[in-house]
Amino acid sequence: MATDAPPPAKETHKLPTTEEFTEVQESAEFGELRRSYRSFAFPLTVGFIAWYLLYVLLSNYAGDFMGTKVVGNINVALVLGLAQFLTTFLIAWWYARTAAARFDPKADAIKSRMEGGA
């Protein structure tokens, strides 16, 4: 199967030296990027792990509570289990949105400077 599309352009980027990596790593801009990422990702991760462990502990030690009927044959365990999936997808969406708005532009600027683009 042949196409009329030209081959992809081969962009050559300058490979940074070890000293350049160290310099960028010690820069205030990189420190701010790392701080903003950690202040977003770590609390979110800790919160989700706590939520997951709460579900596991309730499943193991609070069987009567988890077996409480909510509507028909739907009990608390099923509702909380489905909420685990919901929160997983919400966190992934929130992270992707935040990364695209806050982290990626800063990281792209650092990357382009390291590759000699700016």
Side-chain angles (χ1 to χ4, degrees):
M1 177 171 159
T3 73
D4 293 331
K10 292 184 180 183
E11 294 182 27
T12 57
H13 297 287
K14 174 184 82 78
L15 293 177
T17 64
T18 304
E19 293 79 20
E20 289 172 323
F21 273 112
T22 304
E23 182 181 318
V24 168
Q25 185 179 12
E26 293 171 353
S27 71
E29 182 183 22
F30 185 78
E32 171 57 32
L33 174 60
R34 188 174 46 218
R35 235 180 337 278
S36 65
Y37 171 76
R38 287 179 178 172
S39 68
F40 178 79
F42 286 174
L44 199 58
T45 302
V46 169
F48 182 77
I49 290 172
W51 159 229
Y52 175 74
L53 290 176
L54 174 67
Y55 175 72
V56 171
L57 291 172
L58 287 173
S59 296
N60 283 320
Y61 300 111
D64 292 338
F65 171 71
M66 295 296 270
T68 302
K69 302 272 186 194
V70 177
V71 174
N73 287 332
I74 298 174
N75 61 15
V76 171
L78 180 62
V79 170
L80 292 180
L82 293 174
Q84 289 286 318
F85 285 101
L86 178 64
T87 55
T88 300
F89 291 117
L90 287 174
I91 288 170
W93 169 79
W94 189 20
Y95 174 80
R97 188 171 168 228
T98 302
R102 287 178 34 197
F103 310 138
D104 292 349
K106 293 177 186 177
D108 288 342
I110 292 170
K111 179 184 174 199
S112 69
R113 270 197 307 283
M114 288 201 64
E115 291 176 342

